Amino acid sequence: MPSRNTIRLDTGESYYHVYARGASKQPIFLEPKDYTYFLKLFERYLSDKTTISKQGIAYPNFKKSIQVLAYCLMPNHFHILVYQAEQGGLTALMRGIMTSYSRYFNLKYKRSGSLFENRYKASRIDTQAYLEHISRYIHLNPRSWKTYPYSSLTYYKRGNAPVWLHPQRILEMFNSSESYLQFVADYEEHRDMLSEIKHELADR
């Protein structure tokens, strides 16, 4: 079972479910370009090579310490499933992403103040069964989950994942990508598990 909101128990070689929402549940994505920008931040910090800014400054690279396994970006919140190889990787990655995205959003929409409700929350996952269920919960967030454009499910279906996304860590727990997709679709018999996950999200 997960350790609720326990990034303070920051450990290496661990899986975490990361989530955050907009301040007062307000939208954090207003148009497709916003989702695209957020996803490009993963590329910035998790690419094979260090990314250089327009000012010639190198962005930090966390590829060796953190892997993104699944994600879903919803209009007013997001979910990310990560594997942290080295202690501190998650904290560094999320600080970079949330700060950069907030700056982008406030500048674009001429606003000020906090974009997110508070610091992200992270639940440590310590069993394979719960890891599988968390990945499914993330992909089932949208009602139109089978065709939703801003989740990682499409890469679980067809492959060709970007360099910063690692669905194979989840898929290798199943016989095939088809069996994983069936697992995602077969949510009714696991309704109790999904309800328990929702409870762990601290009234998202």
Side-chain angles (χ1 to χ4, degrees), residues 67-91:
Q67 293 181 347
V68 176
L69 313 187
Y71 67 85
C72 186
L73 310 183
M74 301 295 287
N76 72 347
H77 66 280
F78 64 76
H79 294 269
I80 309 169
L81 177 60
V82 303
Y83 172 74
Q84 177 173 257
E86 299 176 3
Q87 184 178 12
L90 175 58
T91 297

Side-chain angles (χ1 to χ4, degrees), residues 117-135:
E117 185 173 65
N118 48 38
R119 197 171 93 102
Y120 69 90
K121 298 176 182 178
S123 296
R124 186 171 178 268
I125 303 165
D126 56 14
T127 71
Q128 178 173 321
Y130 208 80
L131 179 61
E132 294 170 0
H133 285 293
I134 285 290
S135 75

Side-chain angles (χ1 to χ4, degrees), residues 26-122:
Q26 295 299 306
I28 56 176
F29 304 106
L30 296 180
E31 63 176 28
K33 289 183 179 179
D34 299 338
Y35 294 93
T36 299
Y37 186 88
F38 191 96
L39 293 175
K40 282 188 174 296
L41 292 175
F42 287 126
E43 182 178 352
R44 172 189 293 179
Y45 295 111
L46 298 173
S47 291
D48 289 331
K49 297 181 180 179
T50 299
T51 302
I52 306 299
S53 72
K54 294 179 180 179
Q55 292 74 34
I57 300 173
Y59 290 107
N61 188 290
F62 308 116
K63 182 177 176 59
K64 292 183 178 180
S65 61
I66 199 85
Q67 293 181 347
V68 176
L69 313 187
Y71 67 85
C72 186
L73 310 183
M74 301 295 287
N76 72 347
H77 66 280
F78 64 76
H79 294 269
I80 309 169
L81 177 60
V82 303
Y83 172 74
Q84 177 173 257
E86 299 176 3
Q87 184 178 12
L90 175 58
T91 297
L93 175 66
M94 294 311 299
R95 181 188 301 119
I97 286 178
M98 294 179 75
T99 299
S100 296
Y101 185 75
S102 295
R103 185 181 299 118
Y104 154 85
F105 191 93
N106 284 352
L107 181 63
K108 178 177 179 178
Y109 295 108
K110 297 179 174 56
R111 68 181 299 278
S112 60
S114 298
L115 175 62
F116 295 98
E117 185 173 65
N118 48 38
R119 197 171 93 102
Y120 69 90
K121 298 176 182 178

